[in-house]
């Protein structure tokens, strides 16, 4: 799979540059070591505060803070001091994995695997001839906090919303071990990909 | 398609009982009149206030108010008087259509159609041998308002969050005419389904 070679080089390069979320590195390596599938963009789950200039103007949004672990109240307060323009949202998002499968059978297996691991919002798309499975969960929070630099919530509310956002992140991240176990089983089923081990060797990736 | 016959009977019965969101009836009839596809559950988009006993305990949630049009501030205040137990969220969700396609080609066409109509979160699943396409958008709001009967936001904040939720609903519903046009084109491509017209006749459905 030529596309897999490119994706692996991309992943290993990003790892070398410290650009891959640490808490999913092992899982990403596991998934990519399996024959017939590979990951594209993935995220270990995050909570952050974002400014959106206008509803729907996503490319122009800017994160005031974005972390892949729970956010503290002092961090949130500090980040909000930077708010300037647009709608301010507290957002919490679960881990999300994009996995390409080389055929429909594997895409279906991945879909079942995501659901069986508790990622209830797992779906897929067919783009050109590739099957792209999105392993996703339901714990999303999108709470408006203010507008144009003005915070419209009290400290108590901010603590409350943060607590909910952090809980959601804990819940969804809490399924990662199960997802890992299920991918280990899938590897036994589908077999290992020599290309992965070859490139990992070249990049000095250890696992 | 036996499954289509059952789905159509189900739809026409629900229409007869006033259980189908009025503003998508024409679109649902159009989609179902096309050969090779049919709708299962769909929703015209909604905004509501929900109580969730615990994070993730979805079946035990109860809606304090749920409307398929914009919600007013007095309605929201009144609904909040009923809050008792659990986390209280204001939720805004876009229109969502579930369309079954009889083969992969049609599923891919539906997927493109959804995306081309601005429903950027259109995906699909394969369940048994059926292709289920979900035409979905990105405008979701999930804003916590309080807990266990206690409202933790001011009236000003409630107005603010409602305004955002209502805007999101306006935006996503605003794409329905485009979606309708694209389904009209799809009907020219795939042809009409005689079964639909036969059953529509039996149920006295007019369009």
């Amino acid at each position: 799979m030529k596309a897999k070679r490119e994706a692996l080089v991309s992943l290993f390069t990003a790892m070398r540059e410290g650009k891959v979320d640490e808490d999913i590195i092992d899982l990403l390596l596991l998934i990519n070591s399996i024959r017939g599938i590979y990951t594209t963009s993935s995220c270990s789950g995050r909570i952050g505060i974002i400014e959106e200039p206008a509803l729907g103007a996503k490319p122009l949004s800017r994160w005031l803070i974005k972390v892949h672990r729970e956010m503290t109240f002092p961090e949130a307060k500090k980040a909000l001091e930077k708010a300037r323009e647009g709608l301010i949202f507290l957002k919490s998002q679960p881990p999300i994995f994009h996995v390409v499968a080389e055929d429909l059978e594997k895409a279906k297996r991945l879909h079942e695997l995501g659901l069986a691991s508790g990622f209830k919002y797992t779906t897929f798309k067919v783009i050109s001839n590739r099957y792209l499975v999105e392993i996703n969960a339901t714990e999303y929070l999108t709470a408006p906090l203010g507008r144009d630099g003005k915070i419209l919530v009290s400290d108590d509310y901010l603590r409350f919303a943060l607590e909910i956002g952090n809980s959601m992140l804990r819940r969804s991240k809490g399924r990662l071990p199960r997802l890992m176990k299920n991918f280990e089983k899938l590897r036994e089923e589908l077999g290992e990909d020599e290309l992965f081990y070859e490139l990992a060797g070249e990049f000095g990736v250890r696992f």
Side-chain angles (χ1 to χ4, degrees), chain A:
Chain A
M1 284 177 97
K2 186 172 106 151
K4 179 163 183 176
R5 177 178 279 272
E6 287 170 15
L8 286 174
V9 169
S10 192
L11 172 64
F12 294 150
T13 306
M15 278 174 59
R16 185 180 268 180
E17 295 168 2
K19 287 182 179 169
V20 180
D21 300 340
E22 290 222 10
D23 52 346
I24 53 167
I25 283 181
D26 288 342
L27 190 38
L28 291 178
L29 291 174
L30 170 58
I31 298 172
N32 282 286
S33 73
I34 301 172
R35 198 182 307 171
I37 66 175
Y38 61 91
T39 59
T40 57
S41 60
S42 301
C43 175
S44 73
R46 62 193 184 177
I47 180 167
I49 296 175
I50 191 170
E51 251 184 345
E52 291 183 5
L55 263 189
K58 236 176 152 203
L60 303 169
S61 302
R62 61 175 201 132
W63 288 99
L64 304 181
I65 176 175
K66 182 178 46 161
V67 293
H68 294 275
R69 43 138 181 103
E70 298 181 31
M71 193 192 306
T72 66
F73 175 75
E75 284 177 315
K77 286 288 284 179
K78 200 155 171 61
L80 285 168
E81 287 167 20
K82 299 187 280 180
R84 263 181 350 220
E85 188 183 0
L87 288 166
I88 309 163
F89 289 100
L90 173 68
K91 290 197 177 188
S92 178
Q93 304 169 346
I96 181 168
F97 298 89
H98 289 109
V99 191
V100 177
E102 68 185 358
D103 58 47
L104 185 58
E105 274 321 299
K106 293 193 177 72
K108 284 161 88 166
R109 266 310 268 113
L110 283 169
H111 177 231
E112 279 164 22
L113 186 155
L115 293 178
S117 308
F119 285 79
K120 295 305 181 192
Y121 211 62
T122 293
T123 56
F124 67 95
K125 308 182 199 285
V126 181
I127 302 189
S128 309
N129 270 330
R130 305 192 310 160
Y131 299 89
L132 179 69
V133 180
E134 182 177 275
I135 295 176
N136 200 356
T138 53
E139 290 90 352
Y140 278 81
L141 186 83
T142 308
L145 298 179
R147 185 204 316 263
D148 297 330
K150 188 156 180 259
I151 311 313
L152 295 171
V153 299
S154 61
D155 279 359
D156 276 347
Y157 179 81
L158 184 58
R159 272 184 228 273
F160 166 62
L162 254 182
E163 191 198 312
I164 295 180
N166 284 334
S167 287
M168 284 177 160
L169 193 59
R170 259 195 322 269
R171 260 180 81 81
S172 58
K173 275 183 176 288
R175 297 191 196 101
L176 292 175
R178 191 160 140 209
L179 189 66
M180 185 113 180
K181 252 193 147 54
N182 285 330
F183 269 109
E184 278 161 7
K185 286 193 213 144
L186 188 68
R187 184 166 57 183
E188 280 167 41
E189 227 180 276
L190 300 182
E192 291 181 333
D193 186 349
E194 283 168 14
L195 174 63
F196 169 83
Y197 291 98
E198 176 198 315
L199 284 170
E202 279 178 32
F203 276 80
V205 171
R206 292 195 300 172
F207 43 82

